[in-house]
């Protein structure tokens, strides 16, 4: 194993896949420099024909990637901020998601749409979103939401090789997160949740940066409550089995997510547990998610986005 | 109509104030006082000041460009800089005097660049429906010009003869992307012919030239003759955003480029012009600098005393989301 950080793990995955398959290329605004460091330096190795700086035109970034994917390439479109995916709504939610279906299953769309997501930087309503629900809601798209350097690298490599459109969200708050990855090549299959911490009293299901936040809370309260943390890693495909196995053991569930609470992924996951694991539950499911409002800028961001105290509070409530 | 001496001095003073407020936030970020992003507009003060100070009526509509986070537009329209300074420190402005942004028709800055084109079209429809010869001014950058929203909005505005003035602040870069690699042409004004509207190029370092060109476009819009495009050639002195690299693609921007543009600094050019004409004396220049320096110090102290909102008390957010 070797030490790395989250953003380097992403860069390494891109580097290896660009090296392995000349059908892979990256396009997006300022990807040669890389706004978040995830693509920095790749242009030195692969040149501007494969690391393509685009004009400021998100519709074209996503659309061109999707078109090239239909024609047999494996483009990675970097949308910069996840919020900007709304600008390419038709391309991502309609074209990438539906066109295999509409072409009678005869044309694949092996594109990766990646974006930096999430709050913590006090950047306000249009630069802080993690629009997981929008993607998970849309049949035809896959969604990876890595919470560690290990997961980021393994999931991104799988995403690039997948014959379907995959949305890959890297969290701005995790970019510098240290962690270990194998020296040798590895991939992480989609649809396999990972138990990030074992415990016996309560199952916390969390994604992306909320996994790290939940781990910190679990450590703080370990003398009082034994917390198990399950990270689905991909929201589509979604590994319900691992969660249900955990619930059989604990009987209690808290779902933690940074996207908006209303119609958010906590609602979907909670309902799936109800439908498939109701008999194992000893208490109503608790959920922690962003308040039903835009992400306020500045210090008020903290009011909208889930905080450690909210997670601790929900664990306390489900244990009561 | 020629500008009076007082008006000329006002243009000068506003540019100096715009620069000072910008510097204030740059320094506050360095010292850790300010939070979030800041995209400095230093070098391009003549665009908002020249365009907006004397050409717009209070009931016109205005979508500012994001650079400088709107400070030039706010000052040009007679707004207090207090909310600008306080909000960059994460604080809630108190005791703000003068008109509000809404009272001067200022909307946006959008977090998503290029959103204002189509919204401006709506403001243009409104201005037309109101029948009071209002106009809408929409400002954007060279990078923003690559959004598809530009096409949709400009086409609509031209077909419907909407009273819109599009003003491009072409500073040759969009984040790290140089204009030469993002557009197959040099002049954004060329776009206008595709929509059958006038497109003019103006020296964006010359505040009077900006004033004149935008005035002609505003007059045309008010007269019901439809939209126009004014392209202001300018430059940004600093990197795309504070704390980030100052680069073209992934290499440093040519130092010579900055040097050349600084020779044509909009404040310096206008000061020399006014000194030469005898509109200002050296003593005036010194006095203006001192006054603005003092204003900046007061502003910073003021911001330090404004309250930081408390996340546990969401009252500042209550009532924001939905109308009653
Ligand atoms: C839709 C969208 N894409 C990308 C960004 C990130 N971004 C902010 S400003 C900017 C460059 C804008 O360039 P330009 O329009 O030339 O204005 P300038 O900053 O040069 O004044 C970019 C890429 C954004 N905020 N919104
Ligand atoms: Mg620009």
């Amino acid at each position: 194993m070797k030490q790395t950080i989250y953003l380097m793990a992403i860069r390494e995955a891109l580097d290896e896949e660009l090296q392995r398959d000349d059908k892979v290329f990256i396009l997006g605004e300022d990807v040669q420099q890389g706004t978040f460091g995830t693509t920095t330096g790749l242009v030195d190795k692969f040149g501007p024909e494969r690391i393509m700086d685009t004009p400021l035109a998100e519709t074209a970034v996503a659309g061109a990637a999707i078109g090239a994917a239909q024609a047999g390439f494996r483009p990675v479109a970097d949308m910069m901020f996840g919020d900007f995916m709304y600008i390419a709504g038709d391309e991502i939610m309609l074209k990438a998601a539906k066109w295999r279906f509409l072409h009678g299953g005869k044309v694949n769309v092996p594109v990766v749409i990646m974006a930096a997501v999430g709050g913590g930087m006090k950047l306000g309503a249009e630069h802080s979103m993690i629009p997981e629900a929008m993607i998970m809601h849309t049949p035809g798209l896959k969604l990876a939401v890595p919470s560690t350097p290990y997961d980021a690298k393994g999931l991104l490599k799988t995403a690039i090789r997948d014959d379907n459109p995959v949305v890959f969200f890297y969290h701005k708050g995790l970019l510098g997160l240290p962690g270990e990855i194998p020296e040798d090549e590895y991939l992480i299959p989609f649809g396999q949740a990972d138990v990030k911490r074992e415990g016996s009293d309560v199952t916390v299901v969390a994604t992306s940066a909320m996994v790290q936040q939940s781990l910190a809370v679990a450590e703080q309260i370990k003398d009082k409550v034994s917390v198990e943390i399950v990270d689905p890693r991909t929201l589509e495909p979604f590994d319900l089995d691992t969660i249900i196995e955990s619930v059989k053991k604990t009987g209690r569930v808290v779902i933690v997510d940074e996207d908006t609470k209303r119609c958010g992924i906590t609602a979907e996951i909670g309902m799936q547990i109800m439908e498939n694991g109701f008999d194992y539950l000893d208490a109503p499911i608790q959920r922690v998610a962003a308040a039903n409002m835009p992400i306020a800028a500045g210090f008020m961001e903290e009011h909208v986005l889930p905080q450690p105290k909210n997670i601790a509070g929900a664990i306390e409530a489900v244990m009561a | 109509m020629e500008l009076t001496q007082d008006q000329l001095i006002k243009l000068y003073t506003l540019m100096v104030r715009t620069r000072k407020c910008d510097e204030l936030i740059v320094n506050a970020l360095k010292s850790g006082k300010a939070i979030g992003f800041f995209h400095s507009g230093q070098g391009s003060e003549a665009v908002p000041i020249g365009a907006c100070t004397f050409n717009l009526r209070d009931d016109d509509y205005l979508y500012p460009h994001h650079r400088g986070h709107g400070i030039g537009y706010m000052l040009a329209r007679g707004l207090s800089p207090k909310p600008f300074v306080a909000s960059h420190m994460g604080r809630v402005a108190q005791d703000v005097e003068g008109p509000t942004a809404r009272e001067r028709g200022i909307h946006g800055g959008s977090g998503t660049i290029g959103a204002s084109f189509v919204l401006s079209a709506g403001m243009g429809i409104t201005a037309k429906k109101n029948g009071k010869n209002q106009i809408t001014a929409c400002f954007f950058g060279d990078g923003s010009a690559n959004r598809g929203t530009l096409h949709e909005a400009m086409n609509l505005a031209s077909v419907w003869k909407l009273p819109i003035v599009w003003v491009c602040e072409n500073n040759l870069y969009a984040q790290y992307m140089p204009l030469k690699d993002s557009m197959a042409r040099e002049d954004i004004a060329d776009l206008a012919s595709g929509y059958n509207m006038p497109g003019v190029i103006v020296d964006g370092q010359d505040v009077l030239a900006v004033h004149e060109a935008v005035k002609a476009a505003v007059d045309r819009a008010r007269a019901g003759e439809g939209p126009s495009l004014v392209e202001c050639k300018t430059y940004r002195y600093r990197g795309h955003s504070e704390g980030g690299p100052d680069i073209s693609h992934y290499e440093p921007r040519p130092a010579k480029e900055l040097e050349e543009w600084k020779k044509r600094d909009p404040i310096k050019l206008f000061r020399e012009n006014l000194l030469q004409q005898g509109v200002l004396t050296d003593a005036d220049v010194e006095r203006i600098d001192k006054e603005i320096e003092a204003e900046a110090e007061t502003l910073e102290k003021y911001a330090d005393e404004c309250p930081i909102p408390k996340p546990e008390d969401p009252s500042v957010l209550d009532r924001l989301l939905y109308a009653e």
Side-chain angles (χ1 to χ4, degrees):
Chain A
M1 299 291 268
K2 61 178 182 186
Q3 273 292 328
T4 189
I5 56 172
Y6 189 83
L7 79 86
M8 290 299 292
I10 292 172
R11 201 190 294 173
E12 233 180 83
L14 294 168
D15 190 334
E16 287 177 13
E17 293 307 300
L18 283 156
Q19 186 78 42
R20 196 186 70 91
D21 182 353
D22 59 16
K23 292 255 183 281
V24 177
F25 68 95
I26 301 176
L27 75 171
E29 291 157 24
D30 310 298
V31 290
Q32 292 178 357
Q33 168 67 21
T35 299
F36 299 100
T38 49
T39 53
T40 309
L42 294 173
V43 67
D44 295 331
K45 192 161 165 190
F46 300 103
E49 301 290 320
R50 292 185 72 197
I51 314 296
M52 302 175 77
D53 269 0
T54 67
L56 199 168
E58 286 74 14
T59 313
V61 170
I66 291 160
Q70 285 187 301
F73 277 82
R74 294 189 172 273
V76 177
D78 187 278
M79 305 302 294
M80 197 180 291
F81 288 86
D83 313 59
F84 304 167
M85 289 171 64
Y86 287 84
I87 293 167
D90 176 23
E91 289 66 31
I92 299 169
M93 256 68 72
L94 307 189
K95 301 293 144 325
K98 300 182 189 205
W99 270 26
R100 185 178 196 281
F101 187 86
L102 299 192
H103 285 75
K106 293 193 183 72
V107 181
N108 290 337
V109 190
V111 68
V112 175
I113 308 280
M114 68 176 202
V117 296
M121 290 171 73
K122 304 187 176 69
L123 298 180
E126 297 178 353
H127 284 74
S128 302
M129 298 174 73
I130 173 163
E132 291 167 320
M134 167 177 81
I135 304 302
M136 190 185 186
H137 172 75
T138 305
L141 299 176
K142 295 186 177 183
L143 175 57
V145 282
S147 67
T148 64
Y150 177 84
D151 291 351
K153 183 176 176 190
L155 291 172
L156 183 51
K157 284 172 70 79
T158 304
I160 293 169
R161 295 188 201 184
D162 199 296
D163 281 333
N164 296 287
V166 179
V167 175
F168 180 90
F169 282 157
Y170 53 97
H171 199 287
K172 299 197 281 290
L174 298 178
L175 291 169
L177 181 75
E180 289 196 325
I181 60 172
E183 300 278 353
D184 296 334
E185 177 169 67
Y186 68 99
L187 285 90
I188 299 174
F190 281 5
Q192 285 190 7
D194 184 41
V195 177
K196 287 283 190 292
R197 180 188 174 103
E198 289 193 14
S200 51
D201 294 336
V202 54
T203 301
V204 170
V205 181
T207 62
S208 194
M210 292 302 111
V211 173
Q212 295 301 337
Q213 222 176 83
S214 301
L215 283 166
V217 170
E219 188 58 26
Q220 273 168 18
I221 60 174
K222 66 171 183 246
D223 295 339
K224 284 180 282 181
V225 191
S226 167
V227 179
E228 175 143 308
I229 296 176
V230 183
D231 174 0
R233 300 199 289 194
T234 57
L235 287 166
E236 172 57 40
F238 183 66
D239 176 8
L240 185 63
D241 294 346
T242 301
I243 293 169
I244 298 291
E245 282 311 309
S246 175
V247 178
K248 278 184 194 166
K249 183 167 65 171
T250 63
R252 296 169 202 275
V253 181
V254 173
I255 312 169
V256 186
D257 178 52
E258 198 182 319
D259 198 356
T260 309
K261 188 169 193 178
R262 184 164 69 214
C263 296
I265 66 157
T266 55
E268 173 63 27
I269 296 171
M271 197 63 204
Q272 287 197 30
I273 296 170
M274 293 279 283
E275 287 168 342
N276 297 280
F278 183 76
D279 291 344
Y280 313 117
L281 289 173
D282 296 329
I285 295 171
Q286 296 280 330
R287 56 187 177 130
V288 179
N292 295 328
M293 62 172 74
I295 302 165
F299 296 105
M300 289 310 280
E301 172 184 88
E302 207 178 302
H303 172 70
V304 180
L305 297 182
Q307 302 297 315
K309 63 172 188 271
N310 307 122
I311 301 172
I315 292 173
E316 201 174 303
V318 84
M319 294 304 298
Chain B
M1 194 187 69
E2 287 275 302
L3 292 175
T4 64
Q5 293 218 350
D6 283 351
Q7 286 179 317
L8 295 173
I9 295 171
K10 183 160 185 189
L11 288 179
Y12 176 72
T13 311
L14 284 170
M15 284 203 289
V16 181
R17 286 179 79 204
T18 301
R19 172 83 47 99
K20 197 78 215 167
C21 286
D22 190 298
E23 287 170 353
L24 198 164
I25 304 303
V26 169
N27 291 333
L29 270 167
K30 279 193 192 134
S31 68
K33 248 192 208 179
I35 58 167
F37 273 149
F38 187 61
H39 305 83
S40 165
Q42 290 175 36
S44 303
E45 291 84 356
V47 177
I49 302 303
C52 301
T53 307
F54 296 122
N55 291 324
L56 300 183
R57 293 189 339 209
D58 288 352
D59 63 346
D60 285 336
Y61 301 112
L62 169 57
Y63 275 107
H65 180 48
H66 84 108
R67 197 144 285 286
H69 292 191
I71 183 61
Y73 304 87
M74 297 176 213
L75 294 179
R77 302 306 299 134
L79 272 58
S80 161
K82 282 180 173 176
F84 168 83
V85 177
S87 65
H88 282 85
M89 316 281 187
R91 293 166 187 267
V92 184
Q94 308 290 302
D95 312 319
V96 180
E97 61 281 336
T100 65
R102 293 307 154 263
E103 283 164 352
R104 290 294 176 273
I106 303 178
H107 293 259
S110 175
T112 48
I113 296 285
S116 312
F117 292 117
V118 278
L119 304 183
S120 298
M123 294 279 183
I125 292 172
T126 310
K128 197 168 171 175
K129 279 186 190 293
N130 285 348
K132 289 188 248 164
N133 308 104
Q134 291 161 288
I135 66 111
T136 297
C138 174
F139 289 75
F140 61 101
D142 49 291
S144 333
N146 291 311
R147 281 284 310 275
T149 44
L150 174 141
H151 171 69
E152 301 188 27
M154 287 194 179
N155 181 55
L156 204 148
S158 212
V159 170
W160 289 352
K161 276 199 183 306
L162 300 180
I164 300 178
V165 177
W166 314 101
V167 184
C168 180
E169 179 174 319
N170 179 357
N171 60 12
L172 303 177
Y173 290 90
Q175 191 162 327
Y176 314 140
M177 173 59 98
L179 180 74
K180 66 173 170 51
D181 293 334
S182 73
M183 280 201 181
R185 78 179 86 74
E186 208 174 313
D187 300 321
I188 285 161
D190 289 353
L191 288 172
S193 67
Y195 306 100
N196 196 19
M197 63 182 175
V200 300
I201 297 172
V202 61
D203 176 0
Q205 306 308 88
D206 179 346
V207 68
L208 292 181
V210 174
H211 164 80
E212 287 298 330
V214 172
K215 182 174 192 309
V218 167
D219 288 347
R220 185 170 181 276
R222 275 205 215 290
E225 289 163 33
S228 326
L229 170 58
V230 177
E231 175 186 3
C232 306
K233 304 277 193 191
T234 183
Y235 194 72
R236 77 166 141 76
Y237 288 172
R238 303 184 61 83
H240 166 68
S241 68
E242 291 309 305
D246 185 1
I247 51 177
S248 171
H249 289 294
Y250 53 98
E251 285 164 332
R253 291 198 293 174
K256 192 121 184 60
E257 200 175 73
L258 177 62
E259 225 173 85
E260 287 303 312
W261 278 95
K262 278 200 164 167
K263 284 185 196 154
R264 306 201 63 258
D265 179 85
I267 296 174
K268 178 176 144 242
L269 281 186
F270 198 45
R271 182 172 54 231
E272 283 166 4
N273 178 339
L274 295 183
L275 284 170
Q276 209 168 19
Q277 288 184 57
V279 175
L280 284 181
T281 63
D282 286 329
D284 292 332
V285 169
E286 206 170 302
R287 179 181 44 79
I288 291 169
D289 278 349
K290 275 209 185 109
E291 279 169 13
I292 291 173
E293 188 69 46
E295 184 194 15
E297 271 168 38
T298 313
L299 271 172
E300 198 170 345
K301 282 205 200 92
Y302 156 83
D304 286 343
E305 277 156 26
C306 288
I308 290 178
K310 293 191 185 61
E312 57 280 10
D313 168 19
S315 56
V316 297
L317 300 182
D318 285 351
R319 297 182 304 278
L320 286 185
L321 194 54
Y322 295 107
E324 283 300 310

